[in-house]
Amino acid sequence: MADATTTDGFPDIAGMRYEDAREELIAIVAKLEAGQAPLEDSMQLWRRGEALAAHCATWLDGAQAEIERTTRPPAGTGLHADDEIFDEDDS
């Protein structure tokens, strides 16, 4: 099955892995920084870069939420600053 493409000829972003989107974004930034593309091409690259950056941010936000969800102790079992373990030993 071939990759889906958008009307601008680029692969569809929605199904891209984070690493693929990031690599394409890096390549686009390099092209734009070189300043060699005509204005119309630069604008198309910039729009693509914005969409890739948003896609990457969504992936990272999801990964962070999953990590926080899986590493958070169950409610009621965590230690708090007012727990006895934090009291200074007076002896």
Side-chain angles (χ1 to χ4, degrees):
M1 180 177 173
D3 290 340
T5 57
T6 60
T7 56
D8 58 9
F10 289 111
D12 184 30
I13 293 173
M16 291 181 83
R17 295 176 3 171
Y18 169 79
E19 292 80 5
D20 296 334
R22 183 179 176 274
E23 284 193 27
E24 185 180 340
L25 178 58
I26 290 169
I28 286 173
V29 169
K31 287 178 188 176
L32 291 172
E33 286 179 342
Q36 300 301 314
L39 180 59
E40 187 175 326
D41 294 346
S42 293
M43 291 305 299
Q44 184 178 8
L45 287 169
W46 178 79
R47 286 189 291 273
R48 176 74 175 178
E50 286 288 316
L52 288 164
H55 182 69
C56 288
T58 298
W59 266 101
L60 293 174
D61 290 345
Q64 181 178 2
E66 185 175 340
I67 289 168
E68 289 174 358
R69 192 172 44 253
T70 59
T71 59
R72 185 178 303 129
T77 61
L79 294 176
H80 301 285
D82 59 348
D83 289 345
E84 189 175 311
I85 193 171
F86 293 107
D87 293 342
E88 291 186 29
D89 187 17
D90 293 324
S91 47

